[in-house]
Amino acid sequence: MQKNRKTKIICIFGGVYSSLGKGVIAASITRILKELKNDVEMIKLEPYLNVNSGLMSPYQHGEVYVTHDGGETDLDLGTYERLGGARVSAIQYITSGQVYHDIITRERAGKYNGKTIQVVPHVTNLFKEKIFDVIRIKKPAFLVIEIGGTVGDMESLPIVEALCQIQKEIGRDNFLPILCAPLIHLKGTSGELKTKPCQHAYLELSKLGIKAEFLILRSEEPIGSDIYEKMQAHCHIDKNNIFLARTLPSVYFLPSELYIQKIHRQIYRFFNLKLNPHANINHWNTYINGIKKIHRTITIGMVGKYMELHDSYSSVIEALRLAGWECKVNVEIKWIQSDPINDQNVKTILRGVDGIIVPGGFGGRGTDGIICAIKYARINHLPFLGICYGMQLATIEFATNVLKMKGANSTEINPKTKYPIFDYIDGRMRLGEQLCVINDQTTLAYQIYGKQFVPQRHRHRWEFNNRYLKQFHDAGYLISAHSNDKERTAEMAELKKHPFFFGVQFHPEFSSHPLANDQSFVHLIKAAIKHHH
């Protein structure tokens, strides 16, 4: 494809304020380039000093996304995998905390030979080293880098400086800076779209040594040619390199929108590459056009403890949405905070839902309400999917109410429980992709996945206590899959004589992508459709 096989770097910067959708834009560009048969990788550069997202509160930063190789990362990497079609590794999530941690570790070990450690060159060099490591290992044709935060933030200055140095080292022709900035709509007054904040963001980035070559404008509204002309005049950017990222009904529509605006042609032109005249994104467009024709809706109740912040369950939301589209329905989520649920009000709270899902979590708060909802789903044949913590609580509910193990619990919640159904087995955190084994072809698990070995991503410490295995099986609660190791840890659980009651110890939401949905979600939706009837 390329005259010059050197990796082409595309950097996405954000201006004015955060949460602009830089990750969605970066992933959309990646999706376009991948649909055009290019090898594309992505990186997220985060200015904050956390080493990873593993210990960050979901209230502050949304879900912790887990990569196949066990990296605990920002939820944007989930967007990269789903929307961008990338398969990211832990090394593709780089925080300032990682960099400073590595530098201090090296300095304490005497690796710098007593030199004074400074932001330039030591911090900037290590950012560069980590970026070039990805290029060296992955060898992509294109590397799309998203820079977290906002242009001008104090904590991101070393990152921008490192990128300035990379631009100089590889040459401007191999480095495309793109600025994403909002147009401010003055509602209730003049109704104008104000471009000044965007202009200031462009100037701020220029002062830091990087001149944006492309501009992507975020707007709730369509814009006229006058906006393009104004931005061209004030930012000295050809209007053919100015694009609009409107707020759309779904983020999955954005690649098609940017493709229509010919962003791919301008990217190829910038890098002096030849575009195959037969290359297109028809496969993606066919998928998107099918979604637009769906008008039927079902309702899934999401029962959990972090319902105030929907980003805590970003990947679960997307997995439900994608599974719904595979089943030709739109999924409406009813957000159900678990704390108020009890035996007296559970029927009223769950009224109108066609199925429930209990996603992952930690700690004891809100578990009584979740267990109450699970009990209702079990008794009333309401389709149920429990993920990780949800599977654990479903098992505890069965132990308590069916096996009559009064006080049954997980030692995470009650370390002194008489019946430790889930226990902290060996002190490890199971992270990343591991094989699950389904031996019995008559099980729901095998019906869902259709094969014996199923790779899935994990993030948990507490595991099913196998000494209770026979009691559960004899009562009709089947552990239908186990880990592919000598411990034979429970991986999937199902209830016989129920239309759909299924729990998994892993996180199938991290493996659910457009055109490749995890089938646990698809089977939940199919059961919910039948229940809706």
Side-chain angles (χ1 to χ4, degrees):
M1 179 202 73
Q2 300 181 7
K3 289 182 192 176
N4 180 0
R5 285 300 300 173
K6 184 180 288 186
T7 296
K8 310 300 182 185
I9 296 179
I10 300 172
C11 283
I12 312 293
F13 298 88
V16 184
Y17 54 75
S18 59
S19 300
L20 274 174
K22 297 190 304 295
V24 171
I25 288 168
S28 296
I29 290 171
T30 298
R31 172 62 69 173
I32 292 169
L33 293 173
K34 288 182 78 71
E35 292 291 320
L36 295 176
K37 310 303 182 188
N38 294 287
D39 184 9
V40 190
E41 295 291 343
M42 303 187 71
I43 286 178
K44 177 73 181 287
L45 298 178
E46 277 289 12
Y48 54 63
L49 294 179
N50 301 73
V51 174
N52 60 37
S53 293
L55 298 178
M56 296 182 74
S57 167
Y59 285 109
Q60 289 193 12
H61 210 68
E63 76 171 6
V64 177
Y65 187 79
V66 179
T67 62
H68 68 92
D69 56 349
E72 295 178 288
T73 73
D74 183 283
L75 56 82
D76 275 329
L77 273 75
T79 303
Y80 296 174
E81 294 211 326
R82 287 186 297 269
L83 179 56
R87 180 172 164 85
V88 295
S89 301
I91 61 171
Q92 289 164 261
Y93 177 69
I94 304 168
T95 72
S96 291
Q98 292 173 15
V99 169
Y100 283 108
H101 178 272
D102 288 357
I103 286 173
I104 291 170
T105 301
R106 293 180 187 187
E107 190 273 337
R108 292 291 82 193
K111 300 292 185 181
Y112 294 111
N113 298 318
K115 292 180 180 177
T116 301
I117 311 303
Q118 297 177 291
V119 172
V120 180
H122 299 96
V123 173
T124 52
N125 279 353
L126 193 47
F127 270 112
K128 288 158 56 180
E129 180 183 318
K130 289 179 179 290
I131 292 168
F132 286 128
D133 277 348
V134 174
I135 293 173
R136 176 178 53 80
I137 294 167
K138 302 282 188 174
K139 299 179 175 61
F142 292 93
L143 177 64
V144 178
I145 301 176
E146 178 197 353
I147 294 84
T150 307
V151 170
D153 290 347
M154 181 183 297
E155 59 265 32
S156 66
L157 294 180
I159 293 174
V160 177
E161 174 58 29
L163 293 171
C164 285
Q165 293 177 22
I166 288 176
Q167 182 183 50
K168 182 177 180 182
E169 290 171 21
I170 69 173
R172 289 180 179 274
D173 293 344
N174 294 308
F175 186 95
L176 171 56
I178 299 177
L179 175 64
C180 173
L183 296 172
I184 308 299
H185 186 206
L186 298 181
K187 297 179 181 179
T189 53
S190 63
E192 287 183 273
L193 281 174
K194 304 301 290 185
T195 64
K196 191 63 73 177
C198 183
Q199 294 173 36
H200 287 167
Y202 172 84
L203 290 173
E204 182 69 26
L205 186 58
S206 299
K207 289 176 184 176
L208 297 175
I210 292 179
K211 177 188 180 300
E213 300 289 348
F214 285 21
L215 195 58
I216 297 181
L217 304 174
R218 285 285 289 113
S219 175
E220 299 287 333
E221 313 288 340
I223 63 175
S225 59
D226 58 318
I227 299 293
Y228 290 94
E229 290 165 1
K230 181 182 283 188
M231 298 310 298
Q232 176 179 245
H234 287 278
C235 297
H236 314 295
I237 294 177
D238 189 312
K239 66 180 179 181
N240 292 321
N241 292 339
I242 302 175
F243 306 93
L244 176 65
R246 289 187 303 131
T247 300
L248 300 167
S250 168
V251 297
Y252 298 98
F253 298 170
L254 186 57
S256 298
E257 290 276 320
L258 292 176
Y259 184 82
I260 289 170
Q261 297 175 56
K262 296 183 171 57
I263 193 170
H264 59 297
R265 291 187 179 277
Q266 295 308 110
I267 289 172
Y268 271 68
R269 184 167 292 146
F270 177 86
F271 288 126
N272 192 29
L273 302 173
K274 185 177 180 181
L275 180 63
N276 183 342
H278 302 294
N280 58 63
I281 66 166
N282 290 349
H283 183 248
W284 183 256
N285 285 338
T286 299
Y287 174 67
I288 295 305
N289 290 335
I291 293 170
K292 293 177 179 178
K293 295 175 183 176
I294 296 171
H295 301 293
R296 187 179 174 197
T297 301
I298 63 161
T299 302
I300 298 294
M302 181 98 77
V303 184
K305 57 175 72 176
Y306 307 121
M307 295 296 108
E308 303 94 331
L309 183 64
H310 296 178
D311 275 354
S312 300
Y313 304 108
S314 179
S315 290
V316 177
I317 295 167
E318 295 305 317
L320 286 170
R321 181 175 290 136
L322 295 170
W325 289 339
E326 181 173 328
C327 299
K328 308 303 179 188
V329 296
N330 290 309
V331 175
E332 179 180 301
I333 296 175
K334 181 178 181 181
W335 297 91
I336 302 172
Q337 186 72 29
S338 63
D339 299 81
I341 302 176
N342 56 50
D343 286 330
Q344 287 68 49
N345 63 22
V346 62
K347 182 177 180 180
T348 301
I349 289 174
L350 295 183
R351 182 178 294 139
V353 303
D354 303 306
I356 66 170
I357 185 168
V358 176
F362 291 94
R365 182 180 68 81
T367 55
D368 289 344
I370 296 173
I371 287 173
C372 188
I374 293 170
K375 177 184 175 182
Y376 180 89
R378 176 177 60 79
I379 293 173
N380 293 280
H381 285 189
L382 183 65
F384 164 80
L385 175 62
I387 296 175
C388 196
Y389 198 59
M391 178 262 212
Q392 295 182 17
L393 294 180
T395 310
I396 291 166
E397 187 279 323
F398 192 87
T400 303
N401 297 311
V402 179
L403 299 179
K404 304 304 180 183
M405 297 178 179
K406 187 177 180 181
N409 218 321
S410 165
T411 54
E412 176 186 8
I413 299 169
N414 179 11
K416 298 180 179 179
T417 176
K418 182 179 178 182
Y419 301 103
I421 304 302
F422 281 82
D423 205 355
Y424 196 17
I425 304 296
D426 60 7
R428 59 177 175 153
M429 166 78 91
R430 290 184 69 198
L431 270 175
E433 190 171 276
Q434 300 173 30
L435 278 181
C436 308
V437 184
I438 308 170
N439 284 321
D440 188 345
Q441 295 188 17
T442 67
T443 58
L444 174 60
Y446 197 91
Q447 179 185 335
I448 289 171
Y449 288 107
K451 55 187 177 182
Q452 182 180 11
F453 297 102
V454 182
Q456 290 286 0
R457 301 184 195 184
H458 295 70
R459 184 176 182 256
H460 71 275
R461 287 192 176 90
W462 277 262
E463 298 176 341
F464 180 75
N465 192 334
N466 282 333
R467 80 185 199 201
Y468 297 106
L469 192 63
K470 187 176 185 303
Q471 291 167 267
F472 278 88
H473 280 208
D474 290 347
Y477 190 96
L478 182 64
I479 301 299
S480 50
H482 57 79
S483 59
N484 189 35
D485 55 29
K486 64 180 180 180
E487 282 80 18
R488 293 177 64 86
T489 302
E491 292 283 11
M492 304 181 202
E494 58 193 68
L495 184 62
K496 296 179 180 179
K497 299 179 181 179
H498 191 287
F500 187 84
F501 193 99
F502 191 60
V504 296
Q505 182 63 86
F506 47 84
H507 288 270
E509 68 270 27
F510 298 147
S511 304
S512 204
H513 306 141
L515 302 168
N517 303 312
D518 187 276
Q519 291 300 297
S520 62
F521 291 97
V522 173
H523 279 72
L524 170 67
I525 301 302
K526 287 179 178 179
I529 291 171
K530 289 181 181 178
H531 185 273
H532 185 79
H533 287 154

